[in-house]
Amino acid sequence: MMNIQAKNQLYTINDKEKTYTAMEFKRMDWINKQCYITFQQASTGQWYTFERSNIFLQMHNERNLVS
């Protein structure tokens, strides 16, 4: 399961071993029935692609929760 919430469209991503901050969503691809999500890290410009089922996205700020 993936939980997506964002402030100003910047995400924090937790995978199995590392946390990535200030990530901007770029694209979502389906390859052989597997979903991949690509982000660009705002601070470094580096691009990262994650298997959707292996990541958890966090909000930067609680007050942006929508009920």
Side-chain angles (χ1 to χ4, degrees):
M1 180 176 160
M2 183 172 71
N3 180 2
I4 301 174
Q5 300 194 32
K7 176 186 179 188
N8 298 329
Q9 298 180 359
L10 290 179
Y11 299 84
T12 296
I13 301 170
N14 292 326
D15 73 4
K16 294 177 182 176
E17 299 175 8
K18 190 172 179 181
T19 298
Y20 302 85
T21 58
M23 302 293 283
E24 182 180 356
F25 172 78
K26 293 298 181 181
R27 62 185 290 161
M28 183 180 298
D29 298 295
W30 287 88
I31 302 169
N32 295 328
K33 299 181 181 180
Q34 187 65 36
C35 183
Y36 296 90
I37 304 176
T38 300
F39 295 87
Q40 184 177 24
Q41 191 167 40
S43 59
T44 65
Q46 289 187 298
W47 290 67
Y48 297 89
T49 299
F50 302 93
E51 191 173 314
R52 179 181 175 210
S53 61
N54 291 336
I55 63 172
F56 179 76
L57 304 176
Q58 295 182 344
M59 258 184 64
H60 284 267
N61 193 327
E62 285 183 64
R63 67 177 180 231
N64 289 317
L65 285 172
V66 178
S67 58

